[in-house]
Amino acid sequence: MRRVLWIPFVLLGACHAHMTAAQSGKQQAQMEKPPDTKQVQSARPVRTTPGGMLDPQAMKQIQAKLSHKGYQAPASGQLDEETQAAIRKFQAHEHIAATGLPDFDTLRRLDLDPHKIYLGGTKRQDQKHNEAKR
Amino acid sequence: MAFRKRWLFLWIPLGIVGLILLALLFINPIVAYGTQTGLDRLKGTSGSFHGLHVTIIHPGYNLYGLKVVEMPASEHKEPIFYADRIEMRWSWREIFKGHLVRRVKIWNPKVVIPMRPGENGKPAQPPLEIARTLESVPSAGLERLEIVGGQITLVDEHHEGQRVWLHDVNATLENLKTRKKTMEGLPVLVTVRGKLQKTGELTLFLTADPFDKGLTFAGSAELRHLALADLHQFTKIKGLELPDGSIDMFASITCKRGTLTGGIKPILKNVKVTAADNKLGDKIKAVLADAAVKLFSDRVPGRNAVATIIPIHGDLKKPDVQLLPTVLAVLRNAFVEGLSSSLTNVPPTVGKGGFFHQARKALSKKSEKPIEAEPNK
């Protein structure tokens, strides 16, 4: 009896440690990002972060192209650290500025059209849809 | 008559070929002369270069070993600008369409900006001549500007040895066109990655609409893992040193028609404050400051982080305000404010007013004073 008595305590401790770690991970992710700011409206849309200019679908397309070219990028739909590292490797291989951020020239070299990918681009599906609505 | 006509048909093409050959032979010295004359016109500086090469079939211009020295030569005697190679490219297709857009690539540029004490006790500023020279470089009609392996050093001439060094800079600026239509709905895009001092990793993302009625842009900058030991030249104040710990800074700004808002979040991690000398007073100060860091930390296991958000507000409605110098100046001001604010509020004896004053200030519910965004202030 005495031998099994410690098991619930160990399980409880493990649970608490797991929850604390998860909570601190979330807290850290929340903390380590630029402060939220109000978006501004403009004819050529401007946003504070790459995530604002590229929706998850567009990011997935970039990640798929990177993976296709042999640069490992997770299909997360986010510009996470792994994706930035993959973009940087690709840019270095192409002898262009290795910023790790998907600029227009990088997209063209990945056989993607920035006008279809970036927010505001004239060839985006949602743009055409909005124009048709108008 | 027929004989004359035959000779004319022969001479005209021969003349054209001769002119092209002459142009090819003399174009390099002519353009080199034009470039040197342009450099000589820059006020307060003296410029030179090792070589130049012009291509016609793929229209382009390559300048090698460009060096610009401040005149009269300053004490540090380093050129204020040096680049291994500058390449400019045009496309015939765009030229025939009437769009004179360029692609510029700069290899290993080194920029030294001497910061001189401002008038009436204002913070150090770069010399006005350099700022004016930079502003005079035409930036419109750029398809892409690319910088590979750049370095920027800010030298405070007032305090010997105080240098801010941004290196391994890779940067791009795209889509800065002269006509609305050619932008095809996309904004101007600026991306930067570099290393600050020995350890800090800096990334910058910026989008701007140059055709809006006022200055309109949005962007963010992140500085990660900057060891406080890298800032020892700035933090060794009043007998304290910060041997351990790092600082992260996250800034985001938006500007709509000259009205700027945003915030900067400096996060100090695992800070330890020690006495620079063996004096008892310094040791007591260090113990108190170290205790304060622990008191205000977020107590996440394995990390003692201290964070605060400092709002940024400003007005950039002057008619002659330029996009890029202004944005960079705003970011520089924000980062300097973020750094000094975090160091002033957290290890109390570094700032004004001593331990109890700073502790009271840090615990007060009053919001932080917004940063002055105007670059000239």
Side-chain angles (χ1 to χ4, degrees):
Chain A
M1 186 65 186
R2 225 184 259 174
R3 278 181 193 169
V4 289
L5 206 63
W6 57 270
I7 293 172
F9 288 105
V10 169
L11 284 173
L12 245 155
C15 247
H16 175 72
H18 176 74
M19 278 169 72
T20 316
Q23 204 179 354
S24 73
K26 263 186 201 170
Q27 211 177 334
Q28 189 168 349
Q30 191 65 28
M31 201 173 175
E32 294 184 359
K33 64 174 196 176
D36 293 329
T37 42
K38 207 177 139 190
Q39 277 182 16
V40 294
Q41 297 298 316
S42 171
R44 282 145 292 276
V46 293
R47 297 286 182 272
T48 51
T49 57
M53 293 300 295
L54 295 157
D55 57 31
Q57 204 56 40
M59 269 317 303
K60 276 185 184 169
Q61 282 186 55
I62 296 169
Q63 286 163 336
K65 283 281 179 188
L66 282 166
S67 301
H68 180 71
K69 289 193 181 271
Y71 301 91
Q72 277 197 331
S76 59
Q78 301 291 323
L79 187 65
D80 43 35
E81 279 190 22
E82 290 96 327
T83 309
Q84 284 194 40
I87 294 175
R88 232 172 25 242
K89 277 184 195 162
F90 172 72
Q91 288 167 329
H93 181 258
E94 293 283 313
H95 303 290
I96 56 171
T99 58
L101 298 168
D103 56 57
F104 301 148
D105 197 44
T106 304
L107 292 187
R108 283 186 204 107
R109 284 166 191 262
L110 282 168
D111 306 321
L112 291 165
D113 185 352
H115 298 105
K116 283 183 187 168
I117 296 269
Y118 260 86
L119 187 69
T122 44
K123 293 178 190 166
R124 269 174 68 106
Q125 287 300 316
D126 56 351
Q127 180 89 5
K128 280 181 189 167
H129 179 72
N130 288 346
E131 275 168 14
K133 238 181 175 182
R134 266 183 235 155
Chain B
M1 197 72 181
F3 179 74
R4 258 191 197 174
K5 261 191 180 173
R6 211 183 299 154
W7 268 107
L8 264 179
F9 277 120
L10 190 70
W11 277 111
I12 289 170
L14 269 173
I16 292 168
V17 170
L19 277 174
I20 291 171
L21 280 173
L22 269 175
L24 283 174
L25 268 175
F26 291 105
I27 197 155
N28 282 343
I30 291 167
V31 176
Y33 174 76
T35 307
Q36 189 57 59
T37 313
L39 286 171
D40 293 343
R41 266 192 222 134
L42 297 177
K43 277 183 187 167
T45 58
S46 158
S48 62
F49 54 91
H50 293 156
L52 184 145
H53 181 62
V54 180
T55 52
I56 294 178
I57 295 166
H58 297 289
Y61 167 95
N62 289 285
L63 193 63
Y64 299 94
L66 174 68
K67 190 162 88 172
V68 180
V69 183
E70 198 187 3
M71 295 302 281
S74 58
E75 279 175 23
H76 50 84
K77 292 184 181 82
E78 290 166 87
I80 53 170
F81 181 83
Y82 175 82
D84 278 351
R85 183 179 164 194
I86 300 174
E87 180 194 72
M88 276 194 220
R89 287 263 171 274
W90 289 265
S91 120
W92 281 120
R93 205 176 60 179
E94 292 291 327
I95 291 171
F96 285 132
K97 278 185 194 169
H99 307 150
L100 202 65
V101 288
R102 292 165 294 167
R103 291 173 75 87
V104 181
K105 189 168 180 177
I106 307 175
W107 280 267
N108 306 322
K110 288 175 192 154
V111 183
V112 175
I113 304 174
M115 304 294 283
R116 300 206 170 128
E119 285 171 21
N120 306 324
K122 280 183 181 174
Q125 296 285 338
L128 206 59
E129 293 82 22
I130 297 174
R132 278 185 189 145
T133 304
L134 286 174
E135 280 176 10
S136 69
V137 177
S139 56
L142 262 179
E143 171 78 32
R144 180 175 165 92
L145 167 70
E146 191 176 345
I147 291 170
V148 181
Q151 285 186 40
I152 300 168
T153 313
L154 296 169
V155 185
D156 190 341
E157 293 196 337
H158 195 59
H159 299 97
E160 189 57 41
Q162 284 200 0
R163 284 176 169 233
V164 176
W165 183 40
L166 182 64
H167 56 109
D168 288 339
V169 178
N170 285 297
T172 64
L173 182 152
E174 293 180 300
N175 211 30
L176 190 58
K177 305 273 179 75
T178 45
R179 291 181 200 172
K180 258 186 220 180
K181 208 180 164 187
T182 52
M183 293 192 73
E184 294 185 69
L186 296 178
V188 172
L189 180 69
V190 180
T191 62
V192 181
R193 179 178 288 269
K195 212 152 203 190
L196 188 68
Q197 307 294 74
K198 285 179 191 163
T199 47
E201 285 164 20
L202 180 82
T203 50
L204 168 77
F205 179 86
L206 183 86
T207 48
D209 183 358
F211 291 106
D212 207 9
K213 280 176 186 164
L215 206 58
T216 299
F217 61 85
S220 59
E222 295 183 16
L223 173 66
R224 289 174 186 266
H225 318 304
L226 178 66
L228 288 171
D230 275 0
L231 301 171
H232 66 96
Q233 48 188 335
F234 305 103
T235 54
K236 198 179 169 183
I237 311 162
K238 292 189 181 176
L240 296 181
E241 262 188 359
L242 301 163
D244 295 330
S246 62
I247 187 164
D248 290 359
M249 273 200 259
F250 302 90
S252 73
I253 43 170
T254 57
C255 182
K256 177 69 181 167
R257 293 183 181 168
T259 305
L260 188 126
T261 53
I264 183 153
K265 191 198 293 179
I267 305 175
L268 282 169
K269 289 177 181 173
N270 301 319
V271 184
K272 184 158 177 60
V273 188
T274 59
D277 297 315
N278 232 359
K279 291 174 194 165
L280 182 67
D282 288 349
K283 279 185 176 174
I284 294 169
K285 270 190 206 172
V287 169
L288 288 173
D290 204 34
V293 171
K294 288 193 173 87
L295 187 70
F296 299 130
S297 79
D298 66 348
R299 294 190 176 80
V300 172
R303 177 182 66 122
N304 283 314
V306 192
T308 177
I309 295 178
I310 306 155
I312 304 170
H313 293 292
D315 187 13
L316 303 169
K317 284 177 182 157
K318 287 177 195 162
D320 56 342
V321 80
Q322 282 208 331
L323 176 70
L324 283 172
T326 308
V327 173
L328 293 176
V330 166
L331 278 171
R332 173 188 155 266
N333 280 5
F335 271 78
V336 169
E337 186 65 29
L339 181 68
S340 62
S341 168
S342 58
L343 291 176
T344 309
N345 282 338
V346 181
T349 43
V350 176
K352 287 177 196 167
F355 175 72
F356 292 108
H357 172 80
Q358 291 295 325
R360 186 162 45 81
K361 201 178 156 196
L363 290 169
S364 112
K365 284 178 185 169
K366 279 183 192 168
S367 62
E368 297 278 345
K369 189 186 158 207
I371 295 173
E372 298 286 2
E374 285 85 342
N376 296 328
K377 279 194 178 176

